[in-house]
Amino acid sequence: QVQVEESGGGLVQPGTSLTLSCAVSGVAFTMYGVGWFRQAQGKEREFVAAISPNGDLIDYENSVKGRFTISRDNAKSTVYLQMNGLKPEDTAVYYCAAMHGFSTSARPYDYWGQGTQLTVSS
C-alpha cells in the first residue's frame, strides 16, 4: 500500500511563487528517490526535477533551472518543489513519483501520485 500524494496546486498569476508537496508512505522513504513530472494538455509527460535518496543528486529540466528548487525532508517523508517566477508555459498537471534510486526518466519510477493541477494565467 504505497501512497504518493501531491498537494499545493492551484491558479496563480505569472511571476508569482508556489510550493508543491509530495508525501510518500508505505516504503522506506530514505531509500527512494523522488521526481516531479508534468503534463500539459495535449502534450506528452515531461521531466521537471528529481532528487536522489540522500539528496546528493539533483537535476532540473532546462526551462525551470534557476526558478524551481526541489528538496526533501526525510523526517516528514515529504519532497517539495518550490516554484518561483511562474510562467504560463508552466501550466500542467504535476505528478510526483518515487523509485528505488534516481532517474530523470519517467519509466523507472514505480509509484505515482494522482497529480495536482497548476494553472499560471493572468
Side-chain angles (χ1 to χ4, degrees), residues 9-121:
L11 173 63
V12 299
Q13 294 186 344
T16 62
S17 299
L18 196 68
T19 298
L20 304 181
S21 298
C22 174
V24 181
S25 62
V27 298
F29 184 72
T30 56
M31 299 294 291
Y32 280 76
V34 176
W36 286 96
F37 299 82
R38 65 188 180 187
Q39 186 167 20
Q41 192 173 74
K43 302 294 193 299
E44 293 186 347
R45 179 177 53 191
E46 69 172 352
F47 168 75
V48 177
I51 187 167
S52 64
N54 65 3
D56 65 338
L57 295 176
I58 292 175
D59 204 1
Y60 300 96
E61 190 272 329
N62 287 336
S63 70
V64 308
K65 288 181 180 177
R67 298 191 297 123
F68 290 11
T69 301
I70 188 170
S71 62
R72 63 189 296 153
D73 185 341
N74 288 345
K76 296 182 178 180
S77 296
T78 299
V79 167
Y80 304 97
L81 185 67
Q82 175 68 47
M83 305 178 293
N84 300 322
L86 286 165
K87 304 175 180 180
E89 50 263 45
D90 294 318
T91 296
V93 176
Y94 282 70
Y95 297 94
C96 180
M99 66 173 290
H100 184 66
F102 174 84
S103 180
T104 59
S105 298
R107 188 169 184 174
Y109 285 87
D110 299 306
Y111 310 109
W112 291 79
Q114 79 289 344
T116 185
Q117 175 73 48
L118 170 66
T119 302
V120 184
S121 177

